[in-house]
Amino acid sequence: MYATETRNMDSTILRQLWSAVEHTQSSILLRLNDSELVSHLIAELGNQQPLDREAMVNVSTYLRGKTSLIRDLAQSRSF
């Protein structure tokens, strides 16, 4: 399921998304619930470039599959 959404996302969006994860404070990423985390990162990404509805759906689906990884990365940065 998630691989399909990744194929539908262009590499620029993926790079900007992971850049947003890296630039967001670890404490923010760790305190948000899954829904808030996805919304926050989509908003950060939307600040960099406008997203159409299809891109937002694809990014949202992709992020829902990556919340544990995002939290693991944030946790490792907080040490």
Side-chain angles (χ1 to χ4, degrees):
M1 174 166 125
Y2 299 118
T4 302
E5 280 74 17
T6 304
R7 279 189 295 237
N8 292 336
M9 291 171 48
D10 90 19
S11 60
T12 301
I13 291 175
L14 280 171
R15 279 193 303 274
Q16 289 175 335
L17 174 62
W18 286 103
S19 177
V21 169
E22 286 297 314
H23 289 101
T24 302
Q25 290 181 1
S26 296
S27 59
I28 293 171
L29 296 174
L30 293 170
R31 79 165 182 254
L32 298 174
N33 67 36
D34 287 356
S35 178
E36 293 168 336
L37 178 62
V38 169
S39 294
H40 176 80
L41 291 171
I42 287 175
E44 289 295 315
L45 184 60
N47 289 335
Q48 296 176 27
Q49 76 174 50
L51 298 174
D52 63 22
R53 174 125 174 89
E54 181 180 354
M56 284 180 62
V57 169
N58 288 340
V59 169
S60 178
T61 301
Y62 176 79
L63 284 171
R64 282 194 304 271
K66 302 296 183 194
T67 55
S68 292
L69 174 60
I70 292 167
R71 286 198 178 89
D72 286 349
L73 290 169
Q75 185 77 35
S76 69
R77 289 190 331 221
S78 65
F79 291 116

